[in-house]
Amino acid sequence: DGGITQSPKYLFRKEGQNVTLSCEQNLNHDAMYWYRQDPGQGLRLIYYSQIVNDFQKGDIAEGYSVSREKKESFPLTVTSAQKNPTAFYLCASSPGRGRSSEQYFGPGTRLTVT
Amino acid sequence: QKEVEQDPGPLSVPEGAIVSLNCTYSNSAFQYFMWYRQYSRKGPELLMYTYSSGNKEDGRFTAQVDKSSKYISLFIRDSQPSDSATYLCASQGAQKLVFGQGTRLTINP
């Protein structure tokens, strides 16, 4: 059963702590993306990666970090430098190679920082 | 000005009605246009995918792109309560998608 998995579904952290969100895909897609969704603001791109061991900043990368050591995995770390980390985080993947606009999303992780 | 603009609604219509959802975009270089459906507390699901101008139909859903006016539309015929969701339009920018805010749609039985 192919798809994108994100874990955990809900995550609670204290302010000042780093937290890592997991994203795994078994679609054999080259490209992977992280978005943040806040009420009334749509989706905003945090980071994306088109191939293993390479990634680029999106529109709101400050306070976040990523790695892409394996094709299937693209974890996102929300650092203590992120000023407003409470949000719904979505991971997506696409086939790449001219089909980067076909993005498929995981179920999301809702992060709450208090 | 946002690159993709979408009225956030909310939009509420009776079951069986034809629903029209719309977006405008500002970048004439955009060629690919998508509609996503997002149920509450879930990830978006790719619903329709079109290239350049024209119509694309899939069951009760029709996506329409008018590049001359930079207008993107999604029509839902014979709307059902299960169509109640947030609908997001998106366009392909330079190596990334640009999303509208999303329109929250409710179909009332």
Side-chain angles (χ1 to χ4, degrees):
Chain A
D1 194 18
I4 303 171
T5 56
Q6 291 185 246
S7 60
K9 189 172 181 178
Y10 298 97
L11 192 52
F12 298 89
R13 280 292 182 271
K14 294 288 187 185
E15 201 172 304
Q17 292 179 333
N18 291 355
V19 60
T20 298
L21 282 59
S22 167
C23 177
E24 304 276 332
Q25 55 99 0
N26 62 3
L27 300 167
N28 198 33
H29 283 174
D30 287 327
M32 297 186 75
Y33 309 81
W34 274 105
Y35 292 90
R36 170 183 172 137
Q37 188 173 34
D38 295 283
Q41 293 205 44
L43 275 67
R44 291 183 290 168
L45 183 64
I46 304 172
Y47 267 98
Y48 64 101
S49 167
Q50 294 181 312
I51 56 171
V52 174
N53 292 322
D54 188 45
F55 48 83
Q56 286 79 40
K57 293 182 180 179
D59 299 319
I60 55 164
E62 186 175 347
Y64 299 97
S65 66
V66 294
S67 63
R68 186 87 187 276
E69 297 176 2
K70 297 187 297 182
K71 187 175 184 177
E72 305 79 27
S73 179
F74 192 40
L76 173 74
T77 296
V78 184
T79 74
S80 56
Q82 168 50 233
K83 292 176 182 168
N84 189 16
T86 293
F88 188 44
Y89 289 87
L90 288 157
C91 178
S93 70
S94 72
R97 293 193 219 99
R99 293 175 60 192
S100 58
S101 53
E102 290 179 51
Q103 292 189 17
Y104 299 89
F105 285 82
T109 292
R110 190 165 297 276
L111 173 65
T112 302
V113 176
T114 57
Chain B
Q1 182 192 7
K2 291 183 179 179
E3 285 190 286
V4 177
E5 298 267 11
Q6 184 175 9
D7 185 340
L11 181 62
S12 182
V13 302
E15 183 176 354
I18 296 174
V19 176
S20 173
L21 302 167
N22 306 294
C23 291
T24 58
Y25 65 95
S26 58
N27 191 334
S28 56
F30 287 168
Q31 296 277 20
Y32 295 92
F33 305 92
M34 280 67 65
W35 283 96
Y36 286 84
R37 177 175 62 195
Q38 185 176 24
Y39 291 113
S40 181
R41 299 180 181 274
K42 304 286 186 186
E45 168 195 7
L46 181 60
L47 198 59
M48 299 287 281
Y49 175 93
T50 54
Y51 171 71
S52 195
S53 279
N55 292 0
K56 184 173 183 178
E57 192 173 315
D58 184 1
R60 296 184 296 109
F61 297 88
T62 300
Q64 191 174 79
V65 177
D66 183 346
K67 292 197 75 182
S68 63
S69 59
K70 297 191 182 68
Y71 207 75
I72 314 164
S73 300
L74 178 71
F75 300 97
I76 306 174
R77 291 184 299 281
D78 187 25
S79 56
Q80 304 294 310
S82 58
D83 295 328
S84 298
T86 296
Y87 289 80
L88 298 142
C89 62
S91 297
Q92 174 74 37
Q95 297 183 338
K96 64 176 185 177
L97 292 187
V98 181
F99 285 86
Q101 284 180 279
T103 299
R104 190 162 57 165
L105 172 68
T106 300
I107 309 297
N108 300 303

